[in-house]
Amino acid sequence: MEINRNTIIKDLIETNPETLAVFKKYNLVIAGGVRGPNEPIAFFAKAHEVNYDTLVKELNEAIEKGGGEHIEIPKFEEDKIYEKFIKTAIVLTLSVGVTFGAITLSYIAFKLNFNSVYYALIQAHGHAQIYGWVGLCIMGFALYIIPRVKNTELRHRSLANIIYGFAIIGISIRTVVQPIPYSSIRFLVPISAIFEALAICLFAFVILRTILSSKEKTGVFDKYFKAGIIWFLIATFMNLCMVFHLYRHAIYEIPRNYFSPYVHLYLFGFVLMFIFAINIRTVYAFLDIKPVREKVINLVFLILNISIPIYYITHMLADKYVVAFRFSQFIVFPIGFAFFAFIYGLRIFERSTKELQDIVMDRSYAKTIRTAYLWLIVSAVILLVMPFLGHGTEVQKRFHGSLNHAITVGFITMMIIGYASKMIPTFKGINMHSIKISNLTFILLNFGCFLRVFSQILVGTSGKPVFYAVVGSSGWFELAALSLFGYNLWKTMNTTQETKPSTTTATKKLTEVTKDTKVFDVVDQYPETLQIFLDFGFSQMSSPVMRNTMGRVASIDMATKMHNVDLDKFLKALNDKIAAKS
Ligand code: HEM
């Protein structure tokens, strides 16, 4: 099989198993189902910082050396360590998360009053979302991705089920029991926090042991992972203290001046550090842009990790001490600056290097990752405006709710969706179940989030009922978006390379391409012919959507007529390629 930049790794391994050793040397193959990643070689080389030409040279040497000798492909066990975490996160967010949130918003809109809801219920929703949706997603991804980016094995893998079990028990008890005014079962609330703390301590132990066992050179992203783990542990300890406070004083709501800044410590400390770490390590390849500006990324690391504890303490004490209040107003500026600086350091909105422009692959996740950073900009602007709105005023509270939503849905949830839609098909060596549903999810979630964030601000500044109505409708768009995403990802997770209906069996195996052959069948059965389509000017073939749609209806004859390509010359090129393979 002749190797070119669009050669799919799993196809090359299938036809030339001797290439496996080369991929293993570059740690390229441990991801991607049982036969390797469904990724073009050029992309994987950039994502794993391997020189493409060196890689291809070694692959060809392996093929020449290994030619003719039958080498058995070892049966890879598909690593599904992330799956139960992600699936449970989807169930939690679609139940006590977004569905509860949407109902609550409609009730608030009906009452024209944001303070009309029993706040312990809001806190239960908030806890289920930050630990259940975001926490479980990050834990699942980290257990899969960190060993791979650190080129090592996951340490104490057997603890993953215990981590999962303890986390689920803790989150479920807390979400259900905290709002229930029934003293005889209150002892369960501190027990829930103990289960969560045990799960998170074990997770931290496994991840830190894995990172520290790696012989890979330390990257600029490493310290973000480590800081994220430390903030996760600190937030979990705080959660334990707040819950024991609840229990000892027989109250149902955690005092707001504790709860709200703690939510931001959890989001800025643990969640953003992890997301930033993954982005630093992967975005330059995913978006085909230049590597990060390391000096800026290091500066942001310092500013955020110094500012976060000050932010938490000053906001917690702002009601009591004027100094703390003044500091709480000041500290948002370095944090806001850090968000903008990180975007500059990551080059997220910069032009593509075009290094991978000839590569055929699904890039629908790219807009989701970029849009998430647009929402981080919105969050930073709201954060910087808040000190000017009068401490504890209704308008400031509305802005605070909008800030929360811009960060938790606009940035974090969008990033989870963007990365899950890219990474999980890669993990499995298949395509996302439906790109169409991915695009619909993108539109609905952005629309719902836009309505919520900006109409809640307008409720704060004008109080007009019309804006309450908009707020009340926003949650249902977000519920539709996350339901579609949940379905799409669940279907993808339940598909394996084996269960994926291979078209080759469905349609007759092609031995010769004629003018009546469907474009789709040629590329599906002989992926290496894709380059020929591109060389003859069929550029739209670079889009998987076009191949899966137009390609299924267009015959070679139709395609050559549409693009004014010499039919005989094109047929000869295709058949020569196929003959070379057989
Ligand atoms: C996507 C649909 C969502 C809807 C409809 C929704 C709805 C709500 C509502 C109505 C409130 C109370 C009003 C307010 O404080 O603004 C609230 C608060 C909260 N939500 Fe959500 N939410 C959603 C997603 C999320 C996500 C994804 C997270 C976290 C990852 C989250 C975490 C929280 C937290 C922590 C609070 C309490 C904030 C505080 O009191 O300081 N929510 N949500």
Side-chain angles (χ1 to χ4, degrees), residues 423-471:
M423 301 293 253
I424 290 189
T426 304
F427 296 169
K428 301 181 73 66
I430 57 174
N431 293 325
M432 191 66 175
H433 173 69
S434 160
I435 308 268
K436 268 207 200 93
I437 296 180
S438 295
N439 292 334
L440 198 52
T441 301
F442 175 79
I443 295 163
L444 284 169
L445 192 65
N446 277 296
F447 183 61
C449 193
F450 178 85
L451 288 183
R452 170 74 186 280
V453 171
F454 293 101
S455 60
Q456 187 157 328
I457 286 173
L458 291 167
V459 163
T461 51
S462 79
K464 289 207 178 97
V466 63
F467 297 125
Y468 272 104
V470 179
V471 167

Side-chain angles (χ1 to χ4, degrees), residues 503 507 510 517-526 551-552:
T503 47
T507 50
L510 274 178
T517 311
K518 289 281 181 280
V519 168
F520 174 84
D521 294 338
V522 179
V523 180
D524 185 58
Q525 295 187 28
Y526 299 96
R552 288 180 190 275

Side-chain angles (χ1 to χ4, degrees), residues 79 81 84-85 143 147 153-166 198-199 202-203 205-207 209-210:
D79 183 355
I81 194 166
K84 53 181 174 296
F85 288 87
L143 289 168
E153 293 297 319
L154 182 69
R155 292 294 178 270
H156 313 288
R157 171 180 280 272
S158 57
L159 288 176
N161 288 338
I162 300 172
I163 294 168
Y164 172 76
F166 282 0
L198 286 172
L202 286 173
F203 170 74
F205 168 70
V206 168
I207 293 295
R209 284 273 291 139
T210 303

Side-chain angles (χ1 to χ4, degrees), residues 93 97-98 100-102 104-105 108 114 119 122-123 125-127 129-130 133-134 256 259-260 263-264 267 397-398 400-402 404-405 408-409 412-413 445 452 456 474-476 478-479 482:
T93 199
V98 185
F100 165 84
T104 310
L105 278 178
I108 288 171
F114 262 87
Y119 192 57
I122 298 283
Q123 288 187 341
H125 151 86
H127 187 82
Q129 289 282 60
I130 62 174
W133 164 236
V134 177
R256 290 180 198 221
F259 184 73
S260 293
V263 168
H264 287 173
L267 297 176
K397 284 186 189 149
R398 294 297 81 76
H400 180 95
S402 292
N404 271 348
H405 210 71
T408 57
V409 177
I412 296 170
T413 298
L445 192 65
R452 170 74 186 280
Q456 187 157 328
S474 66
W476 301 106
E478 293 168 323
L479 178 59
L482 281 161

Side-chain angles (χ1 to χ4, degrees), residues 500-511:
K500 180 172 169 314
S502 115
T503 47
T504 41
T505 43
T507 50
K508 207 164 68 35
K509 180 76 182 158
L510 274 178
T511 51

